Amino acid sequence: MAVDEPVPGRVTVSATVRPWRSSDAPVLVAASADPELARQFGGVRFDDVAVAGAFIATTYRFDAHARWWAIVSDGVDAAEGSDGAAARVVGCVGVTAIEHTHGTAWISYWLTPEARGRGLATRALAAAAEDAFALGMHRLELGHRTNNPASCAVATRAGFRAEGVEREKLRYGDDRFDVETHARLATDPTPDVTALPLDPSRDPAARRGGR
């Protein structure tokens, strides 16, 4: 998971999380050009907005079994330290494999490079966790490569305790990576993190289409 760690002096911006929309497709086209972020899409590089839009419709779903949240910032620009940019999607946090019998789910997250260093991943993860607990989930799980300390820090700050290491679980190219698993229970202490506001409104285009 490609994420951020707060950087002292980095400008703080306002942000929300909401379901993905078809109009967010250009974000995925740009993000998939980054080899690190492309891993979040199964190694797929989106050549155009139509392919990215189809991915949003089929994969970044928002239903009883998956809740994919887009992280929307009001002030992240490509320039270092700039602010005041128009609101746009800068990342994602997904709650998937939602299993209602046992009350479990799996979480993943990523941020575009220019959005890192502002604590957005931690706050978005906290928001998604609160929403999942409100749905009745009891145990939320996630994992990160052991060579990704930034992702570990995000999970820890959002209240996800490390539980162990799965050896050589992931393979990228010819290399295999150990994965550290984390989990947060509904009964665990609430972390000292201000969760991002949730906007549950769906895609306006989908509503007009009757879906």
Side-chain angles (χ1 to χ4, degrees):
M1 288 176 280
V3 296
D4 69 331
E5 185 141 14
V7 174
R10 195 81 187 269
V11 65
T12 300
V13 297
S14 60
T16 59
V17 291
R18 60 155 171 77
W20 281 79
R21 301 171 179 172
S22 57
S23 58
D24 299 327
V27 175
L28 294 189
V29 174
S32 70
D34 183 326
E36 179 70 21
L37 288 180
R39 295 173 178 174
Q40 305 297 324
F41 320 124
V44 175
R45 178 167 180 172
F46 303 112
D47 295 324
D48 55 51
V49 294
V51 175
F55 180 89
I56 291 172
T58 58
T59 302
Y60 278 5
R61 309 188 321 273
F62 204 83
D63 53 34
H65 302 288
R67 294 169 78 83
W68 287 96
W69 298 98
I71 305 170
V72 183
S73 171
D74 293 333
V76 171
D77 204 340
E80 174 70 21
S82 62
D83 59 6
R88 64 188 183 89
V89 175
V90 297
C92 175
V93 56
V95 182
T96 60
I98 296 175
E99 208 289 314
H100 293 276
T101 300
H102 300 291
T104 61
W106 181 263
I107 295 187
S108 58
Y109 41 89
W110 57 264
L111 282 178
T112 57
E114 68 272 13
R116 297 170 193 166
R118 296 176 170 88
L120 291 177
T122 299
R123 298 179 62 200
L125 175 56
E130 290 180 4
D131 176 73
F133 290 141
L135 292 177
M137 296 298 101
H138 179 73
R139 176 181 169 88
L140 306 177
E141 304 171 348
L142 61 83
H144 62 82
R145 300 192 313 273
T146 54
N147 66 342
N148 189 347
S151 185
C152 182
V154 167
T156 301
R157 288 194 301 269
F160 286 74
R161 300 181 185 179
E163 293 193 334
V165 173
E166 297 176 277
R167 296 177 301 154
E168 299 187 1
K169 182 177 183 179
L170 299 180
R171 182 178 68 183
Y172 296 126
D174 295 328
D175 299 320
R176 300 203 70 94
F177 297 88
D178 293 348
V179 171
E180 183 172 71
T181 58
H182 291 242
R184 179 177 164 187
L185 306 181
T187 52
D188 283 343
T190 302
D192 186 19
V193 172
T194 301
L196 291 181
L198 292 171
D199 175 6
S201 58
R202 303 295 185 87
D203 190 339
R207 291 199 298 269
R208 286 196 297 271
R211 298 196 300 271

